[in-house]
Amino acid sequence: MSTIERNLQGLKERISRACSQVGRDGREVVLLAVSKTFGPDAVRQAQAAGQRCFGENYVQEGVEKILALREPGVASMPTQWHCIGPLQSNKTRPVATHFDWVQSVDRLKIAERLSEQRPEALAPLQVCLQVNVDGGLTKSGVTPVELPALAEAVSRLPNLRLRGLMCIPEPAPTFEAQRAVFLQARALFDQLNADGFALDTLSMGMSDDLEAAVSAGSTMVRVGRAVFGDRPLKLTSVA
C-alpha cells in the first residue's frame, strides 16, 4: 500500500467517524483531494487508490496536469477536476474549457465569462459560490448580504449549473469555534434552498477542521496535505 493510499484510507475513516458522531452517513461527504503543486504521478497514485475528485488552485498548473493525464498511452480513469482557487477574468477560458467544477465564483462577471466560454459540446460547468462567512480580510468570497442576488443571477446563466456554496474561513482555535463559523455557511445554504435554489453541495472543511465542517453539514471536504503530504516548494514539472 502506497503512502497516498494509506492517507486516503485514513481520511475516509476520519470522515466516517465524524459523520457517525452526528448521525450522518459517511457516503454523504465527498473527499476532494487537493493536488496543487503535486505532479501527475501523485494524482495517478491517488487514482489507483480509488480517488476520483481532485482540486487545483492554480489554473495553468491544473490545465497542464489535466492534459498530461489525458495523453495517449496513459491509462485514463474517470476523474473530476475542480478549480478551487481565486479566479481572475483572464483565466476563465482555460477553466471553462478543461475543468468540470469551479468552486470559487464570487463575482457575476466571472460567472458570465465562464458561461460564455464553456464549449457547447461539454456538460454544463458545475459551480459553487464562494462566500466569505466570517469577513476575513485576506479571504475571497461574496458577502452574505450580497449572496442571494449573486445566486439568482448565476442560476440564470446558460452552460452553468449552480450546485452550492464554498467557504474558507479564518483558522479558529477550537472545534466549537470552527463549527460556529461553518454553521453560518450552513444557514446561508439552507436559506437559499428554502428560496428554491435546490442546492446540493456545501464545500467546507480542510485537513485541520474537517470534523467541525462535517458536524455542521459539509457535503465536500477539500484536503491536500493529509492526502499527499507536505507540499513541495515548487512544482518543477507536470509532464
Side-chain angles (χ1 to χ4, degrees), residues 2 6 29 33 41-42 54 76 79 94 99 130 153 163 202:
S2 71
R6 284 194 298 271
V29 180
D41 286 345
F54 295 89
S76 179
T79 303
F99 282 82
Q130 183 173 352
R163 296 292 296 270
L202 185 54

Side-chain angles (χ1 to χ4, degrees), residues 164-182:
L165 304 181
M166 184 268 268
C167 69
I168 311 174
E170 296 287 348
T174 65
F175 175 91
E176 290 76 14
Q178 293 168 353
R179 186 173 186 272
V181 177
F182 288 134

Side-chain angles (χ1 to χ4, degrees), residues 116-166:
E116 292 167 1
Q117 295 166 348
R118 182 67 168 176
E120 293 291 341
L122 297 181
L125 189 62
Q126 312 298 295
V127 169
C128 287
L129 304 181
Q130 183 173 352
V131 57
N132 189 344
V133 288
D134 57 354
L137 297 179
T138 63
K139 302 296 184 182
S140 301
V142 63
T143 67
V145 171
E146 297 169 327
L147 175 63
L150 180 61
E152 178 66 30
V154 171
S155 71
R156 296 179 181 276
L157 293 174
N159 304 317
L160 304 182
R161 181 185 172 197
L162 181 59
R163 296 292 296 270
L165 304 181
M166 184 268 268

Side-chain angles (χ1 to χ4, degrees), residues 5 14 26 36 63 72 76 83 89 100 104 106 115 118-119 151-152 155 174 182 196-197 214 218 224 230:
E5 185 175 1
R14 280 180 65 185
K36 68 175 182 180
V63 169
S76 179
C83 178
S89 296
D100 305 296
S104 49
D106 61 0
S115 176
R118 182 67 168 176
E152 178 66 30
S155 71
T174 65
F182 288 134
F197 283 95
V214 168
S218 173
D230 291 334

Side-chain angles (χ1 to χ4, degrees), residues 50-80:
Q51 180 64 28
R52 294 293 177 263
C53 299
F54 295 89
E56 290 288 330
N57 290 65
Y58 310 120
V59 173
Q60 181 177 350
E61 176 195 329
V63 169
E64 291 176 355
K65 202 175 301 180
I66 292 167
L67 294 176
L69 289 162
R70 291 177 181 167
E71 287 179 351
V74 176
S76 179
M77 299 184 183
T79 303
Q80 192 179 88

